Amino acid sequence: MDRKVIITSDGSTTIHIPEWDEQYHSIHGAIQEANHVFIKNGLSLFSDRKLSILEIGFGTGLNSFITFLEAEKFKLSIDYVGVEAYPVTSEVMKKLNYVSELKAEAFGSVFDEMHTKDWEVKNEISSKFTLTKRKQFFNEIKDIDTFDLIYFDAFGARVQPDLWTEDIFKLMYDSIRNNGVLVTYSAKGSVRRAMQAVGFTVERLEGPPGKREMLRATKK
């Protein structure tokens, strides 16, 4: 499918898919959404420890890059796994402006490495951050009790409802450790019920700009 880079309301870029009229990130602000959903309501719950993160939808690499930048603040050593069936091309990646918008020019090479490093192997991005990119469909995830935190950033249920089912969330539940957390921008009632059906305890939280609510699920 055709992919076009567009500017969102906070000045940061995202990728638009005209065929679906869908974006990789919120048009109300890609960076704002990532910080609110995945950092404020996910990563910030953990501190001073080793942390294993699974991202559902590696996409533009924005969530992994922001996580890398924020990890030192929370004194975290992170093992990051990003799952993506259709990787972003290098041509598209070069049009993304996250390094400049985050004022992270000192780590520009890190963002590049996150996209250019080999897939299916664990890459050492720094002494406290490893990245494994898996080219994989979400229903092929078979990890058991592996992750502490899941960033569930799949395309919306409007265009890919099969990614928001009980079957998918059962795989998420199995892959996460006890007391592990899953965060997502979605607040749909059907998504919340699917999470609860497989065993998650689910909270509604204030959403990022442009959304009233989001969901956070915990395995207890």
Side-chain angles (χ1 to χ4, degrees):
M1 289 183 289
D2 188 25
R3 302 179 187 183
K4 296 183 178 180
V5 175
I6 64 172
I7 303 293
T8 67
S9 294
D10 67 359
S12 59
T13 48
T14 190
I15 298 172
H16 175 67
I17 300 179
E19 184 177 334
W20 288 349
D21 191 25
E22 179 75 343
Q23 289 73 231
Y24 278 56
H25 307 288
S26 171
I27 61 172
H28 299 285
I31 287 176
Q32 288 183 144
E33 178 188 50
N35 273 322
H36 182 89
V37 176
F38 303 112
I39 305 303
K40 178 182 177 181
N41 289 299
L43 189 71
S44 69
L45 301 177
F46 304 88
S47 62
D48 197 18
R49 55 169 290 185
K50 292 183 178 180
L51 190 69
S52 184
I53 299 176
L54 172 66
E55 181 179 12
I56 300 300
F58 181 75
T60 65
L62 172 60
N63 296 331
S64 61
F65 187 54
I66 290 182
T67 299
F68 171 85
L69 296 175
E70 293 291 318
E72 186 173 350
K73 179 189 301 183
F74 300 111
K75 299 180 180 178
L76 295 169
S77 177
I78 294 177
D79 181 21
Y80 198 103
V81 175
V83 175
E84 178 62 58
Y86 301 101
V88 171
T89 65
S90 59
E91 180 182 3
V92 170
M93 183 271 289
K94 290 174 183 176
K95 297 178 181 178
L96 302 173
N97 67 358
Y98 304 135
V99 172
S100 59
E101 286 298 306
L102 288 164
K103 297 179 173 55
E105 286 82 1
F107 300 102
S109 61
V110 169
F111 182 72
D112 292 341
E113 285 182 28
M114 286 180 166
H115 284 279
T116 58
K117 289 286 191 180
D118 290 340
W119 290 71
E120 315 303 338
V121 296
K122 182 177 290 191
N123 298 286
E124 185 174 299
I125 303 300
S126 75
S127 61
K128 292 187 177 181
F129 195 101
T130 61
L131 171 65
T132 304
K133 298 181 294 181
R134 299 193 328 211
K135 192 174 181 182
Q136 182 180 39
F137 292 108
F138 303 155
N139 62 4
E140 298 172 340
I141 295 171
K142 304 299 181 185
D143 304 273
I144 301 295
D145 296 332
T146 302
F147 302 104
D148 305 294
L149 177 61
I150 295 177
Y151 295 165
F152 200 90
D153 200 16
F155 285 123
R158 177 181 63 85
V159 296
Q160 288 198 310
D162 55 313
L163 303 183
W164 300 85
T165 62
E166 286 185 28
D167 288 343
I168 293 294
F169 286 117
K170 179 62 164 64
L171 296 176
M172 299 300 101
Y173 188 86
D174 290 343
S175 71
I176 206 167
R177 298 184 176 118
N178 286 333
N179 298 312
V181 173
L182 179 153
V183 283
T184 183
Y185 65 86
S186 178
K188 286 178 67 70
S190 60
V191 173
R192 176 177 53 81
R193 291 188 292 272
M195 291 176 174
Q196 291 172 328
V198 302
F200 280 114
T201 299
V202 185
E203 308 168 77
R204 290 191 186 95
L205 303 173
E206 179 185 355
K211 284 188 67 69
R212 188 166 60 88
E213 293 181 324
M214 58 165 282
L215 297 176
R216 182 167 64 198
T218 306
K219 181 176 180 177
K220 295 185 178 179

